Amino acid sequence: MLGDLAYQAAWRKDHTTAAGILQHALTRTQHPAARSLLNLRLARTLAAQGDKRPALRALAAAEHHLGASSARPLPTWCAWMSEADLAVDSGQALLDLGDARRAHQLIGEGQTLLPPARAKTRGVFLAYEASSYLRLGEPERAAEAAREALQLSRRIGAPRCEQLVQDLVPQFEPHPTAAGVPELLALAAA
């Protein structure tokens, strides 16, 4: 699936390739939920490149398509797509664009909407929340979210989620006396 290839390219931080794949996939995709997910991933990769206007257009398209109905059956590869995913990934895109306050609000809303059965996604959302708090200059709250994400990822065996937290660890090192940071650093090193 082209969406999966784009996701892998974005994970490797090859955003140009990811954007090209997603734009091509959007020309071939008709189901509103699938278009929503592809637009959301496109927004994330465009935001990571700092392409603000195209990223915001893709976010608006993702929101529009997720709200649209369809008589066609939902493709299995995007059956999990929900308002929670839209909120959190929109928040992450806005975080990459420098709108940390709105990003944090959306990430929090998405976590509230996420059903308990999606624990791995919750761990990823918590890592995004930690990143958001770091950008807001709130290392205490960031450490709390990162610790929860790290513990959850280890408990359920989610290495990608754990890697998201490990990637944040260097950003905590300048805050060795902030509440929760020493505990997080010890947990991350364990």
Side-chain angles (χ1 to χ4, degrees), residues 9-183:
W11 182 252
R12 292 187 315 271
K13 302 200 184 316
D14 183 0
H15 300 294
T16 302
T17 299
I21 293 169
L22 289 164
Q23 288 165 340
H24 178 71
L26 278 163
T27 66
R28 308 176 79 168
T29 304
Q30 298 302 315
H31 196 284
R35 290 188 65 78
S36 177
L37 177 57
L38 292 172
N39 272 294
L40 187 57
R41 287 187 175 169
L42 179 60
R44 289 282 311 274
T45 202
L46 291 169
Q49 296 178 101
D51 293 338
K52 186 174 185 170
R53 284 183 183 260
L56 293 175
R57 277 195 303 272
L59 285 177
E63 187 173 345
H64 168 77
H65 288 297
L66 189 60
S69 63
S70 176
R72 292 176 292 216
L74 187 65
T76 56
W77 60 268
C78 67
W80 50 267
M81 179 66 174
S82 69
E83 291 288 335
D85 299 285
L86 178 65
V88 171
D89 280 332
S90 293
Q92 186 61 33
L94 292 175
L95 189 61
D96 288 342
L97 293 172
D99 188 353
R101 296 231 179 263
R102 178 71 178 131
H104 174 67
Q105 178 186 358
L106 285 170
I107 291 168
E109 287 172 14
Q111 284 190 4
T112 301
L113 294 170
L114 192 67
R118 293 189 55 204
K120 184 164 67 169
T121 302
R122 178 168 171 66
V124 171
F125 287 5
L126 284 164
Y128 291 168
E129 182 178 37
S131 178
S132 174
Y133 278 129
L134 282 168
R135 290 192 187 186
L136 287 172
E138 299 181 31
E140 298 85 1
R141 294 176 85 178
E144 181 182 334
R147 180 189 47 75
E148 189 177 344
L150 188 56
Q151 290 172 329
L152 176 62
S153 67
R154 288 179 177 172
R155 186 172 63 246
I156 65 172
R160 188 177 78 84
C161 178
E162 181 170 351
Q163 188 59 52
L164 287 173
V165 176
Q166 292 292 350
D167 290 347
L168 294 175
V169 167
Q171 295 176 54
F172 284 101
E173 291 169 355
H175 309 284
T177 60
V181 171
E183 295 83 359

